[in-house]
Short mmCIF file of all heavy atoms in Angstrom, two decimals:
data_model
loop_
_atom_site.label_atom_id
_atom_site.label_comp_id
_atom_site.label_asym_id
_atom_site.label_seq_id
_atom_site.Cartn_x
_atom_site.Cartn_y
_atom_site.Cartn_z
N VAL A 49 4.87 10.82 15.15
CA VAL A 49 4.30 12.09 15.63
C VAL A 49 2.84 12.19 15.21
O VAL A 49 1.98 12.61 16.01
CB VAL A 49 5.12 13.30 15.10
CG1 VAL A 49 4.38 14.61 15.36
CG2 VAL A 49 6.50 13.31 15.73
N GLN A 50 2.54 11.79 13.99
CA GLN A 50 1.15 11.83 13.50
C GLN A 50 0.26 10.93 14.37
O GLN A 50 -0.86 11.30 14.72
CB GLN A 50 1.07 11.39 12.04
CG GLN A 50 1.86 12.27 11.07
CD GLN A 50 1.38 13.70 11.02
OE1 GLN A 50 0.18 13.98 11.05
NE2 GLN A 50 2.31 14.64 10.95
N TYR A 51 0.78 9.75 14.74
CA TYR A 51 0.02 8.84 15.59
C TYR A 51 -0.23 9.45 16.97
O TYR A 51 -1.34 9.40 17.49
CB TYR A 51 0.74 7.50 15.70
CG TYR A 51 0.05 6.52 16.63
CD1 TYR A 51 -1.28 6.16 16.45
CD2 TYR A 51 0.73 5.97 17.71
CE1 TYR A 51 -1.92 5.27 17.30
CE2 TYR A 51 0.11 5.07 18.56
CZ TYR A 51 -1.22 4.73 18.36
OH TYR A 51 -1.84 3.85 19.20
N ARG A 52 0.80 10.01 17.56
CA ARG A 52 0.64 10.63 18.88
C ARG A 52 -0.36 11.78 18.82
O ARG A 52 -1.17 11.95 19.74
CB ARG A 52 1.99 11.14 19.42
CG ARG A 52 3.07 10.10 19.57
CD ARG A 52 2.82 9.14 20.72
NE ARG A 52 3.87 8.16 20.85
CZ ARG A 52 3.82 6.93 20.35
NH1 ARG A 52 2.79 6.52 19.67
NH2 ARG A 52 4.81 6.08 20.53
N ALA A 53 -0.32 12.55 17.74
CA ALA A 53 -1.28 13.66 17.57
C ALA A 53 -2.70 13.12 17.47
O ALA A 53 -3.64 13.67 18.05
CB ALA A 53 -0.92 14.50 16.35
N ALA A 54 -2.87 12.03 16.73
CA ALA A 54 -4.20 11.41 16.62
C ALA A 54 -4.70 10.97 17.99
O ALA A 54 -5.85 11.24 18.35
CB ALA A 54 -4.14 10.22 15.66
N CYS A 55 -3.84 10.33 18.75
CA CYS A 55 -4.23 9.81 20.06
C CYS A 55 -4.64 10.93 21.01
O CYS A 55 -5.65 10.80 21.73
CB CYS A 55 -3.10 9.00 20.67
SG CYS A 55 -2.77 7.43 19.83
N VAL A 56 -3.89 12.00 21.04
CA VAL A 56 -4.23 13.08 21.98
C VAL A 56 -5.54 13.75 21.58
O VAL A 56 -6.34 14.12 22.44
CB VAL A 56 -3.06 14.09 22.13
CG1 VAL A 56 -2.96 15.04 20.95
CG2 VAL A 56 -3.20 14.87 23.43
N HIS A 57 -5.79 13.87 20.28
CA HIS A 57 -7.08 14.42 19.84
C HIS A 57 -8.23 13.52 20.27
O HIS A 57 -9.26 13.99 20.73
CB HIS A 57 -7.08 14.65 18.32
CG HIS A 57 -6.37 15.90 17.92
ND1 HIS A 57 -5.02 15.94 17.73
CD2 HIS A 57 -6.83 17.15 17.71
CE1 HIS A 57 -4.66 17.17 17.41
NE2 HIS A 57 -5.74 17.93 17.40
N ASP A 58 -8.05 12.21 20.11
CA ASP A 58 -9.07 11.26 20.55
C ASP A 58 -9.32 11.37 22.05
O ASP A 58 -10.46 11.39 22.50
CB ASP A 58 -8.66 9.82 20.21
CG ASP A 58 -9.40 9.27 19.00
OD1 ASP A 58 -10.32 9.92 18.50
OD2 ASP A 58 -9.03 8.16 18.57
N ARG A 59 -8.25 11.43 22.82
CA ARG A 59 -8.39 11.52 24.29
C ARG A 59 -9.14 12.77 24.71
O ARG A 59 -9.83 12.78 25.73
CB ARG A 59 -7.02 11.51 24.98
CG ARG A 59 -6.27 10.24 24.82
CD ARG A 59 -6.06 9.37 26.03
NE ARG A 59 -6.30 9.84 27.34
CZ ARG A 59 -5.35 10.08 28.25
NH1 ARG A 59 -4.08 9.94 27.94
NH2 ARG A 59 -5.69 10.47 29.47
N LEU A 60 -9.01 13.83 23.92
CA LEU A 60 -9.69 15.09 24.24
C LEU A 60 -11.11 15.14 23.67
O LEU A 60 -11.79 16.15 23.81
CB LEU A 60 -8.87 16.28 23.72
CG LEU A 60 -7.61 16.60 24.53
CD1 LEU A 60 -6.69 17.55 23.77
CD2 LEU A 60 -8.00 17.19 25.89
N GLY A 61 -11.54 14.06 23.01
CA GLY A 61 -12.88 14.04 22.43
C GLY A 61 -12.97 14.79 21.11
O GLY A 61 -14.06 15.16 20.68
N LEU A 62 -11.84 15.00 20.47
CA LEU A 62 -11.78 15.73 19.19
C LEU A 62 -11.60 14.72 18.06
O LEU A 62 -10.63 14.76 17.30
CB LEU A 62 -10.63 16.74 19.22
CG LEU A 62 -10.67 17.77 20.35
CD1 LEU A 62 -9.38 18.57 20.41
CD2 LEU A 62 -11.88 18.69 20.18
N GLU A 63 -12.56 13.80 17.95
CA GLU A 63 -12.43 12.69 17.01
C GLU A 63 -12.28 13.14 15.56
O GLU A 63 -11.44 12.60 14.84
CB GLU A 63 -13.63 11.74 17.14
CG GLU A 63 -13.65 10.92 18.40
CD GLU A 63 -14.33 11.61 19.57
OE1 GLU A 63 -14.76 12.78 19.44
OE2 GLU A 63 -14.42 10.98 20.65
N ALA A 64 -13.07 14.10 15.13
CA ALA A 64 -12.99 14.54 13.73
C ALA A 64 -11.60 15.09 13.42
O ALA A 64 -11.07 14.88 12.33
CB ALA A 64 -14.07 15.58 13.44
N GLU A 65 -11.00 15.78 14.38
CA GLU A 65 -9.66 16.33 14.19
C GLU A 65 -8.59 15.24 14.22
O GLU A 65 -7.51 15.41 13.67
CB GLU A 65 -9.35 17.40 15.24
CG GLU A 65 -10.14 18.67 15.07
CD GLU A 65 -11.48 18.65 15.82
OE1 GLU A 65 -11.97 17.56 16.17
OE2 GLU A 65 -12.05 19.73 16.03
N ALA A 66 -8.89 14.11 14.84
CA ALA A 66 -7.93 13.01 14.93
C ALA A 66 -7.77 12.28 13.60
O ALA A 66 -6.69 11.76 13.30
CB ALA A 66 -8.35 12.02 16.02
N VAL A 67 -8.83 12.23 12.82
CA VAL A 67 -8.84 11.41 11.59
C VAL A 67 -7.67 11.69 10.66
O VAL A 67 -6.97 10.76 10.24
CB VAL A 67 -10.20 11.53 10.86
CG1 VAL A 67 -10.13 10.91 9.46
CG2 VAL A 67 -11.30 10.88 11.68
N PRO A 68 -7.39 12.95 10.28
CA PRO A 68 -6.28 13.16 9.33
C PRO A 68 -4.93 12.70 9.89
O PRO A 68 -4.08 12.23 9.13
CB PRO A 68 -6.28 14.67 9.07
CG PRO A 68 -7.40 15.25 9.82
CD PRO A 68 -8.09 14.18 10.59
N PHE A 69 -4.75 12.81 11.19
CA PHE A 69 -3.49 12.34 11.79
C PHE A 69 -3.38 10.82 11.70
O PHE A 69 -2.32 10.29 11.37
CB PHE A 69 -3.38 12.82 13.24
CG PHE A 69 -3.26 14.31 13.37
CD1 PHE A 69 -4.33 15.06 13.82
CD2 PHE A 69 -2.09 14.96 13.03
CE1 PHE A 69 -4.24 16.44 13.95
CE2 PHE A 69 -1.97 16.34 13.14
CZ PHE A 69 -3.06 17.08 13.60
N TYR A 70 -4.49 10.14 12.00
CA TYR A 70 -4.48 8.68 11.86
C TYR A 70 -4.20 8.29 10.41
O TYR A 70 -3.40 7.38 10.14
CB TYR A 70 -5.84 8.08 12.25
CG TYR A 70 -6.06 7.88 13.73
CD1 TYR A 70 -7.20 8.39 14.34
CD2 TYR A 70 -5.16 7.15 14.51
CE1 TYR A 70 -7.43 8.18 15.70
CE2 TYR A 70 -5.39 6.94 15.86
CZ TYR A 70 -6.53 7.45 16.45
OH TYR A 70 -6.75 7.25 17.78
N GLU A 71 -4.86 8.94 9.48
CA GLU A 71 -4.68 8.59 8.06
C GLU A 71 -3.24 8.81 7.62
O GLU A 71 -2.67 7.98 6.91
CB GLU A 71 -5.66 9.39 7.20
CG GLU A 71 -7.10 8.95 7.39
CD GLU A 71 -8.13 9.83 6.69
OE1 GLU A 71 -7.80 10.98 6.32
OE2 GLU A 71 -9.27 9.35 6.52
N ARG A 72 -2.64 9.93 8.05
CA ARG A 72 -1.25 10.20 7.66
C ARG A 72 -0.29 9.19 8.30
O ARG A 72 0.64 8.73 7.64
CB ARG A 72 -0.85 11.63 8.02
CG ARG A 72 -1.36 12.66 7.02
CD ARG A 72 -0.69 14.01 7.19
NE ARG A 72 -1.00 14.64 8.47
CZ ARG A 72 -2.05 15.45 8.69
NH1 ARG A 72 -2.88 15.73 7.70
NH2 ARG A 72 -2.24 15.98 9.88
N CYS A 73 -0.51 8.85 9.55
CA CYS A 73 0.43 7.92 10.18
C CYS A 73 0.34 6.54 9.53
O CYS A 73 1.36 5.87 9.36
CB CYS A 73 0.23 7.86 11.69
SG CYS A 73 -1.10 6.83 12.32
N LEU A 74 -0.85 6.13 9.14
CA LEU A 74 -1.00 4.81 8.51
C LEU A 74 -0.49 4.80 7.08
O LEU A 74 -0.09 3.75 6.57
CB LEU A 74 -2.46 4.36 8.57
CG LEU A 74 -2.93 3.95 9.96
CD1 LEU A 74 -4.45 3.83 10.01
CD2 LEU A 74 -2.26 2.65 10.39
N ALA A 75 -0.47 5.95 6.43
CA ALA A 75 0.07 6.04 5.07
C ALA A 75 1.59 6.07 5.08
O ALA A 75 2.23 5.75 4.08
CB ALA A 75 -0.47 7.29 4.37
N GLY A 76 2.17 6.44 6.21
CA GLY A 76 3.61 6.55 6.31
C GLY A 76 4.26 5.25 6.75
O GLY A 76 3.65 4.18 6.76
N THR A 77 5.52 5.37 7.10
CA THR A 77 6.28 4.22 7.59
C THR A 77 6.92 4.61 8.92
O THR A 77 6.98 5.78 9.27
CB THR A 77 7.39 3.82 6.59
OG1 THR A 77 8.25 4.94 6.40
CG2 THR A 77 6.81 3.37 5.26
#
Side-chain angles (χ1 to χ4, degrees):
V49 169
Q50 299 297 320
Y51 177 56
R52 301 288 180 264
C55 291
V56 77
H57 281 85
D58 257 353
R59 295 249 346 250
L60 286 166
L62 303 171
E63 289 88 357
E65 290 90 341
V67 169
F69 294 106
Y70 278 128
E71 290 173 342
R72 280 194 295 271
C73 80
L74 288 167
T77 59

